[in-house]
Amino acid sequence: MAMAVVACTEKQQFTVEGTIEGAQDSTLYLYNQALSGPELMDSVKLGSDGKFSFKGNAPEAPDFYALCLHNQIINFSIDSTETVTVSAKYPGMGSNYTVEGSDNCEKIRQLALLQQDLQQRAMALERDGSLTRQQRLDSLSIMIDEYKDIATQQYIYVEPQKAYAYFALFQTLGQWNLFDRGNALDMRAFGAVATCWETFYPGALRTEQLHNIAVKGINEQRVVKARQNTDGLEGKIITAGLIELQLPDATGNIRKLTELAGKVVLLDFHSFGLKDSAARILELRELYNKYHAQGLEIYQVSIDADEHFWKQQTEHLPWVSVFDPEASSLPTYNVQGVPEFFIIDREGQLQKRSSQMTDGVEAEIRRLL
């Protein structure tokens, strides 16, 4: 029984082992590449045979690690309790190595070599004095697109639930991310990986990170699209200096902003998919509970794309919640991003937007009430 208890309480472990040739008496470090930054796990001084072996607690979801020696790095991932074997030669171990025991680690090795090749070609391009600056930029853009095409078609979209697909999304060229979070095509790749990780690894920190990136990118693209709509203001009813909004609530009924005339209204543009949504809703609840009886109302516009998700999030909210998946209302009020909010007085006059409320929204509400 005692042995059984010990076995149950001991954490399962992974192993990374192998050989680094040509690095006798050098110290090899093992890092966990955590979201908060590299965390040193262990180290060993290499002998004449270059052999090493590290063990670590198996992660609950795929995580990333690195072997480091004199600023040279070998990246790898661990899913659970596997044993990964690395054979490398120093110097140049970051590109001159093999890995066994994990298909994920082999794919990460391939991606690392692709990134290193891109880096070298970009440096050669920068040194080419026969080209103008614009010619260098154009050539670099082509090289990056070629890299991303390989990364998406041969790695990311093949198995988006895998660690190597995640790794591909965060490759860099110097200080720049190769996958641009302001690019619609690149955001599709983030969205594909985020969706799969939410299915396979719900609740993991990296799943949450992917979700937040994907939602933020989708909302930003929607804002840009809405801003480009030059007809956004045509056909709008303008009453007492207030631009009308007419959007459906969860039951399909059209709710007008002007139907709240006579109340002090907090006009709130929001996305429930954002990381800080829960905290924002809690703040609004506190304001609503405190001042509703005195005449405060909230008209909240959601630009979430998933209607079912939006209905779930708003089911128990006491104020007016309306749905605008195309974000067509944003240019009406010159909203550059969410969350954003405005205060409207009892006469239906638009008083201030969030950036103008120097004393805070609650002080403005009290003043108008």
Side-chain angles (χ1 to χ4, degrees):
M1 288 180 63
M3 291 176 65
V5 170
V6 171
C8 290
T9 55
E10 284 183 350
K11 290 187 177 181
Q12 293 184 311
Q13 293 191 312
F14 70 86
T15 301
V16 55
E17 60 186 17
T19 304
I20 309 292
E21 295 183 17
Q24 181 177 352
D25 296 329
S26 296
T27 300
L28 180 68
Y29 297 91
L30 172 66
Y31 285 91
N32 174 213
Q33 303 285 56
L35 288 177
S36 57
E39 297 177 357
L40 180 62
M41 295 178 62
D42 203 350
S43 65
V44 63
K45 188 173 183 179
L46 298 174
S48 58
D49 58 4
K51 291 184 178 181
F52 68 91
S53 181
F54 294 120
K55 291 186 180 295
N57 293 331
E60 295 181 359
D63 209 353
F64 297 87
Y65 302 84
L67 295 171
C68 301
L69 178 66
H70 299 316
N71 295 323
Q72 297 189 25
I73 297 175
I74 295 175
N75 288 296
F76 65 98
S77 69
I78 293 293
D79 284 349
S80 56
T81 59
E82 67 259 51
T83 296
V84 175
T85 302
V86 176
S87 299
K89 293 183 179 181
Y90 181 85
M93 97 174 179
S95 57
N96 190 10
Y97 74 96
T98 61
V99 60
E100 298 176 356
S102 169
D103 181 61
N104 262 313
C105 293
E106 170 57 23
K107 295 293 177 57
I108 287 174
R109 185 188 73 85
Q110 295 171 14
L111 285 162
L113 293 180
L114 283 171
Q115 187 269 347
Q116 291 171 28
D117 177 67
L118 175 62
Q119 180 79 43
Q120 291 170 2
R121 289 190 291 134
M123 293 172 63
L125 189 66
E126 184 64 27
R127 293 191 297 265
D128 190 342
S130 67
L131 300 176
T132 66
R133 183 175 185 277
Q134 189 58 52
Q135 287 174 325
R136 288 197 296 269
L137 290 174
D138 291 342
S139 297
L140 180 60
S141 179
I142 292 172
M143 290 192 299
I144 291 174
D145 287 343
E146 290 173 346
Y147 167 86
K148 290 196 293 187
D149 184 62
I150 294 173
T152 52
Q153 300 307 316
Q154 298 184 26
Y155 295 90
I156 294 173
Y157 289 135
V158 174
E159 292 181 301
Q161 78 278 14
K162 295 290 190 177
Y164 70 80
Y166 176 104
F167 180 82
L169 289 174
F170 294 92
Q171 292 285 71
T172 61
L173 182 62
Q175 61 179 323
W176 306 107
N177 292 318
L178 286 168
F179 281 85
D180 180 6
R181 300 175 192 182
N183 181 291
L185 287 177
D186 290 357
M187 288 311 303
R188 290 182 188 176
F190 273 103
V193 177
T195 299
C196 285
W197 278 56
E198 286 175 342
T199 300
F200 286 87
Y201 316 112
L205 288 177
R206 294 186 188 276
T207 300
E208 181 182 353
Q209 175 205 29
L210 287 167
H211 172 84
N212 291 335
I213 291 173
V215 169
K216 186 173 185 292
I218 290 170
N219 287 336
E220 287 177 351
Q221 290 296 319
R222 201 174 292 134
V223 170
V224 170
K225 182 179 178 181
R227 197 182 303 149
Q228 291 171 345
N229 181 8
T230 57
D231 299 326
L233 293 177
E234 292 185 10
K236 299 289 182 181
I237 302 171
I238 300 179
T239 305
L242 181 68
I243 303 174
E244 179 70 292
L245 294 178
Q246 302 181 67
L247 294 165
D249 63 14
T251 63
N253 293 323
I254 299 299
R255 302 297 300 270
K256 296 182 178 181
L257 179 59
T258 53
E259 74 184 49
L260 301 178
K263 306 287 187 178
V264 171
V265 179
L266 184 65
L267 171 59
D268 188 65
F269 294 90
H270 187 72
S271 170
F272 288 89
L274 293 176
K275 178 180 179 180
D276 298 327
S277 172
R280 171 74 180 142
I281 294 302
L282 181 60
E283 292 175 2
L284 291 181
R285 276 189 177 276
E286 292 176 351
L287 289 172
Y288 187 88
N289 292 340
K290 190 172 183 179
Y291 296 107
H292 174 64
Q294 300 176 43
L296 173 68
E297 290 289 352
I298 297 176
Y299 186 96
Q300 187 169 55
V301 180
S302 165
I303 65 168
D304 293 277
D306 187 333
E307 184 174 3
H308 177 69
F309 169 73
W310 166 72
K311 286 181 177 179
Q312 286 182 319
Q313 298 299 311
T314 59
E315 183 177 3
H316 301 295
L317 297 182
W319 52 76
V320 178
S321 297
V322 294
F323 189 51
D324 183 17
E326 298 300 324
S328 58
S329 61
L330 299 190
T332 304
Y333 280 85
N334 191 27
V335 175
Q336 306 297 313
V338 293
E340 176 62 290
F341 55 94
F342 301 79
I343 195 78
I344 301 167
D345 66 21
R346 293 183 186 273
E347 286 70 45
Q349 293 285 346
L350 188 65
Q351 289 291 322
K352 294 180 179 180
R353 69 189 304 143
S354 61
S355 59
Q356 298 170 318
M357 301 180 200
T358 55
D359 295 327
V361 63
E362 185 171 2
E364 292 296 332
I365 290 171
R366 287 200 305 267
R367 183 179 65 83
L368 295 177
L369 287 173

